[in-house]
Amino acid sequence: MELKGQIDNIIYSNESNGYVVCELATSDELITVVGYLPFINVGDVLIVKGEMTRHNIYGEQFKVSSFEKVMPSNILEIEKYLGSGIIKGVGPATAKKIVSKFGEESIYVLKCEPYKLTEIKGINEEKAQIISDKFNELWELWQIVIFLQKYDIGTVNANRVYKELGINALNIIKENPYILLDILYGVGFEKIDRIAYELGVEYDSPYRVSSAIRHGLKLALRNGHTCVGKDALLEFVAQTLNVPDELVEHEMVSLTYSNRIYIDDDFVFLKEYYEAEDIVAKKLVSISLDKIKKCANIEEKISKQEEKIGIELSDEQKKAIKLVLNNKIAIVTGGPGTGKTTIIKLLVNIFKSENRTVALCAPTGRAAKRITETTGEKAKTLHRFLEIGKLSDDGIDLDIMVSKINQDVVIVDEMSMVDIGVMSYLVKALKDTTRLVLIGDVDQLPSVGAGVVLKDLIESSIIPTMKLNEIYRQAKESNIVVNAHKINNGEKIELSRNEGDFIFIPENNSLEQIKNLITIYLPKLRKI
């Protein structure tokens, strides 16, 4: 079914997803309409398509599948639209005056000749322009909605496009649709490329080639790489777009001059990722070169903590603690069961005994909770610690504000999960006097975001590093821990011994096996 009417009342509106329950006044009756109708207001004239349904509680409703917003076409519609309160400074009384004065030309006056509004008592030139600007803003926003809907792009993005591009958004998009790649969330190059084709953008357009270059770099980011070899990127773009290599090289140069990419030793970066790596590298090198006074009575301090906690450290663990205490920045790495958590606990106690404030943090909530439970000290996620909130999946914002670190010492656990973006925020927050301790297992899975920060820092040989190799008694009781170390050492593991916490199950139907694990195997293990 198709209905045309004017919105008389909005009963419910969810601004986050655009779901609306409203009353639509058609020429015959008032109908309850439900569905995703973003950016609509009382007084809007809509053409809606859908079907009549019956709700168990609310009765008969028209469920919208698609809709279109149209200009009010008669004097009554125009008056109701203007008098709805959608335009600041125009209420029912002013709307009546405008319609009485200009009739069906009212819309044209609002859009194109706002100076004529001054003929109405109470509207000066400034107010007339404000009214016109708001009217045009609302209409331009709606044109963006219609445009995006045509290409199956969610209407939530419309407001973002308008904020970025302003009232001439559609003209800008039609000239260079690839600009949407830097604005829209969750919309890939292929979809924008189809829009560009339909709009008549040439296959060898500089806009298309430069966007494909950045697209290639973003694909690399999803695979964890902050940069791509120049030759590999050139080949990818040229083959994907079917354009000459020379054109791709030319656009690489243009993007470099416009500060959107950076080329360094035949590797190509998105500019913000190069800058993030540069920030991290320079800051950490500076910290590593900043020599501090050697810690006095280390052996005595370690012995005191051993006695307090009731443990005996290995020579490896003692060496790691000495390394941390004698350097402004240090890395302690090792596989599972090598005593990293014990080292954290002793370091915290030693620093606190010297009246130094310590911050414990980790990249995930689960990791932070585990440190809190094992050390007895409150730990935070890095995001919460730096007060940076949820970050965009689309890249690094180097202008983001981070809270300066007030603590004397920052200890970061599970460093293998820290990506280059979060690391850049961390080093920006460090004061010159802050000491930094990085702890993690370099052989664990890397971060979800781009960059293998811990691995790269260790391989740089710039930062003092201690690698723990010895597995401790409790950890040796775990076949997972033992086998993990065997794999890292290139040793063969025994797959036929299914005991303890390590079970090997050869299976082709993985989905069915996961079901069996959850419903059969794991409940049995919990009872052991």
Side-chain angles (χ1 to χ4, degrees):
M1 291 178 63
E2 181 177 293
L3 301 175
K4 181 180 179 181
Q6 191 165 26
I7 296 177
D8 187 72
N9 179 33
I10 294 179
I11 300 169
Y12 170 80
S13 176
N14 185 328
E15 291 185 7
S16 64
N17 63 13
Y19 186 81
V20 169
V21 178
C22 65
E23 292 180 320
L24 189 74
T26 69
S27 58
D28 301 319
E29 58 184 328
L30 198 64
I31 297 175
T32 301
V33 171
V34 299
Y36 294 95
L37 304 160
F39 307 114
I40 65 165
N41 301 278
V42 171
D44 284 345
V45 178
L46 304 182
I47 297 174
V48 294
K49 294 181 180 180
E51 61 180 352
M52 294 300 300
T53 61
R54 178 165 289 279
H55 192 277
N56 292 336
I57 298 174
Y58 302 111
E60 198 171 61
Q61 298 176 334
F62 187 87
K63 188 175 181 181
V64 176
S65 58
S66 65
F67 74 106
E68 179 185 354
K69 185 175 178 179
V70 296
M71 275 288 187
S73 58
N74 58 56
I75 292 175
L76 289 177
E77 287 181 354
I78 293 171
E79 184 178 337
K80 188 168 184 178
Y81 177 78
L82 296 178
S84 65
I86 189 174
I87 300 175
K88 189 177 180 180
V90 179
T94 304
K96 193 173 188 65
K97 291 178 183 178
I98 293 173
V99 171
S100 296
K101 179 72 176 176
F102 302 109
E104 293 185 359
E105 294 294 313
S106 298
I107 297 297
Y108 180 80
V109 170
L110 285 165
K111 284 178 65 67
C112 306
E113 298 179 341
Y115 62 89
K116 288 186 177 180
L117 293 173
T118 58
E119 297 174 20
I120 296 172
K121 187 177 180 180
I123 299 180
N124 57 26
E125 288 185 11
E126 182 181 1
K127 186 174 181 179
Q129 192 60 53
I130 291 173
I131 292 172
S132 177
D133 289 345
K134 182 61 178 177
F135 180 87
N136 285 322
E137 176 187 324
L138 291 168
W139 195 251
E140 186 67 24
L141 177 59
W142 185 247
Q143 300 312 304
I144 296 168
V145 171
I146 295 172
F147 177 84
L148 295 178
Q149 278 188 330
K150 179 182 175 182
Y151 297 104
D152 196 29
I153 295 175
T155 51
V156 176
N157 278 307
N159 206 32
R160 188 176 295 118
V161 171
Y162 180 77
K163 286 181 179 178
E164 286 288 331
L165 303 180
I167 201 163
N168 292 316
L170 283 182
N171 291 331
I172 295 170
I173 291 169
K174 287 172 182 176
E175 179 186 354
N176 174 22
Y178 296 98
I179 198 170
L180 292 172
L181 287 168
D182 294 324
I183 300 173
L184 304 183
Y185 290 165
V187 180
F189 177 83
E190 292 79 8
K191 178 168 282 191
I192 302 301
D193 203 33
R194 287 197 298 273
I195 294 174
Y197 175 78
E198 289 188 26
L199 292 175
V201 176
E202 296 292 337
Y203 84 101
D204 58 353
S205 162
Y207 294 134
R208 183 172 188 246
V209 178
S210 61
S211 294
I213 291 169
R214 286 173 56 80
H215 168 63
L217 292 171
K218 288 181 179 180
L219 287 178
L221 291 176
R222 294 175 197 168
N223 291 318
H225 305 294
T226 57
C227 62
V228 178
K230 181 181 176 182
D231 291 341
L233 182 61
L234 190 153
E235 182 181 356
F236 167 79
V237 174
Q239 290 184 359
T240 300
L241 304 186
N242 193 25
V243 296
D245 291 1
E246 295 77 14
L247 183 56
V248 181
E249 286 187 291
H250 181 270
E251 288 310 312
M252 281 188 183
V253 173
S254 296
L255 285 169
T256 302
Y257 278 112
S258 63
N259 282 324
R260 303 190 73 195
I261 67 171
Y262 192 93
I263 301 176
D264 182 38
D265 291 336
D266 291 327
F267 284 94
V268 186
F269 298 75
L270 287 171
K271 185 66 184 300
E272 57 269 30
Y273 279 86
Y274 177 82
E275 290 180 352
E277 288 203 352
D278 191 53
I279 288 167
V280 171
K282 287 178 178 177
K283 182 71 173 183
L284 296 187
V285 167
S286 174
I287 295 173
S288 68
L289 295 175
D290 190 3
K291 301 302 179 183
I292 61 173
K293 185 179 179 181
K294 293 294 182 182
C295 182
N297 306 317
I298 290 183
E299 293 288 353
E300 182 182 333
K301 291 176 180 178
I302 292 174
S303 296
K304 187 175 180 180
Q305 291 303 322
E306 285 179 309
E307 183 179 345
K308 180 179 178 181
I309 298 174
I311 61 170
E312 184 177 347
L313 297 180
S314 68
D315 290 340
E316 264 190 355
Q317 288 176 309
K318 290 179 181 178
K319 189 175 178 182
I321 291 172
K322 290 175 184 178
L323 182 81
V324 171
L325 295 177
N326 284 325
N327 289 279
K328 195 170 179 183
I329 181 172
I331 296 173
V332 178
T333 184
T338 53
K340 298 188 296 295
T341 303
T342 301
I343 289 172
I344 292 175
K345 187 173 181 64
L346 263 75
L347 285 171
V348 171
N349 289 348
I350 291 172
F351 283 127
K352 289 177 74 172
S353 71
E354 297 174 343
N355 295 319
R356 299 179 190 270
T357 54
V358 182
L360 280 177
C361 45
T364 67
R366 185 175 181 180
K369 183 179 179 181
R370 187 186 64 83
I371 304 170
T372 300
E373 292 171 347
T374 54
T375 67
E377 299 289 332
K378 179 66 177 174
K380 294 182 178 180
T381 64
L382 279 164
H383 290 70
R384 188 173 179 185
F385 177 57
L386 298 171
E387 297 181 359
I388 53 179
K390 187 180 185 303
L391 299 174
S392 164
D393 294 332
D394 283 11
I396 298 173
D397 181 2
L398 293 176
D399 295 325
I400 195 169
M401 297 297 293
V402 294
S403 296
K404 281 293 181 182
I405 293 169
N406 295 317
Q407 289 83 352
D408 300 315
V409 184
V410 175
I411 300 176
V412 183
D413 194 19
E414 301 289 2
M415 258 301 297
S416 67
M417 291 191 286
V418 176
D419 61 37
I420 190 63
V422 174
M423 192 64 187
S424 68
Y425 301 138
L426 174 62
V427 300
K428 282 170 67 177
L430 293 174
K431 294 189 298 186
D432 292 338
T433 55
T434 307
R435 298 174 68 164
L436 184 61
V437 185
L438 308 177
I439 301 194
D441 180 0
V442 74
D443 294 315
Q444 282 189 357
L445 290 173
S447 60
V448 174
V452 281
V453 177
L454 180 62
K455 182 174 180 289
D456 287 346
L457 292 179
I458 292 172
E459 291 182 354
S460 73
S461 301
I462 297 295
I463 299 173
T465 300
M466 177 65 196
K467 183 172 183 181
L468 305 171
N469 295 297
E470 184 177 346
I471 309 174
Y472 294 93
R473 181 179 59 79
Q474 297 91 333
K476 285 179 180 177
E477 297 173 1
S478 166
N479 285 329
I480 290 177
V481 171
V482 172
N483 286 329
H485 283 271
K486 283 185 177 181
I487 291 169
N488 282 340
N489 295 330
E491 300 173 14
K492 185 178 180 180
I493 63 175
E494 181 57 60
L495 299 178
S496 61
R497 291 177 57 193
N498 291 333
E499 58 186 21
D501 59 2
F502 181 87
I503 301 172
F504 175 75
I505 306 169
E507 179 60 58
N508 292 325
N509 188 341
S510 58
L511 191 61
E512 185 64 27
Q513 190 58 62
I514 290 170
K515 178 183 174 182
N516 291 336
L517 279 170
I518 295 170
T519 59
I520 300 172
Y521 289 105
L522 295 181
K524 286 181 179 178
L525 287 173
R526 291 193 188 99
K527 296 175 183 178
I528 297 175

